[in-house]
Amino acid sequence: MFDFLKGKGNEEKDPKVILTSPVNGKVIPIEEVEDPVFSQKMMGDGFGVDPSDGDVYAPGSGKVVSVFPTQHAVGLEMDNGVEVLVHIGIDTVELEGGPFDTLVKEGDTVTSETKISTVDLAGLKEAGKKETVIVVFTNMDQVDDYSLDTTGDTTRGTEIGTVTSK
């Protein structure tokens, strides 16, 4: 009788989201990221990728919730409500946007096919910065399970794991 209430917006979200490599390169566990804030999971669990090129894509489907003015990071909310920070490079906030070009804005919907940023890897090296792209879940209280199933050399868009919300 009230089937119209089951319309758009009321459907259950799938708690499990597939994660893909956001860049071409070598996927590493978060513990191997060369920054203690990330490797000790102070900001949350996740993974890193040592990139072979400067094209950075979303690690899954969701929406853009924040774009840092320094363009070194983009905050996403995955379709299951897990918040993800895509952080480009280590200690790159002090570059004040220099080698970065963010291609999305707050409110944009993204998929693993959406290029969210580009970075000049040579510019990062010249500045003495590590280029690791770090993907970290910033609301771990909402994460039920996370698995990183693939590490090593991968291409962008390769399925590398899952994150499940509570």
Side-chain angles (χ1 to χ4, degrees), residues 81-155:
V82 173
E83 294 171 3
V84 176
L85 178 68
V86 179
H87 190 283
I88 305 166
I90 295 174
D91 292 331
T92 50
V93 66
E94 58 201 44
L95 298 178
E96 297 181 356
F100 308 104
D101 184 19
T102 303
L103 305 173
V104 293
K105 63 187 181 316
E106 288 181 23
D108 284 357
T109 299
V110 297
T111 69
S112 59
E113 297 296 315
T114 307
K115 187 187 299 187
I116 61 173
S117 187
T118 59
V119 58
D120 175 7
L121 296 180
L124 284 183
K125 274 196 166 83
E126 285 172 22
K129 303 298 182 187
K130 285 278 193 192
E131 64 271 3
T132 306
V133 175
I134 303 152
V135 176
V136 63
F137 311 114
T138 55
N139 63 340
M140 287 301 295
D141 60 322
Q142 295 300 311
V143 174
D144 184 46
D145 185 48
Y146 161 62
S147 68
L148 181 62
D149 304 322
T150 301
T151 57
D153 290 331
T154 61
T155 54

Side-chain angles (χ1 to χ4, degrees), residues 1-7:
M1 185 164 145
F2 293 105
D3 284 343
F4 70 92
L5 292 175
K6 296 178 185 171

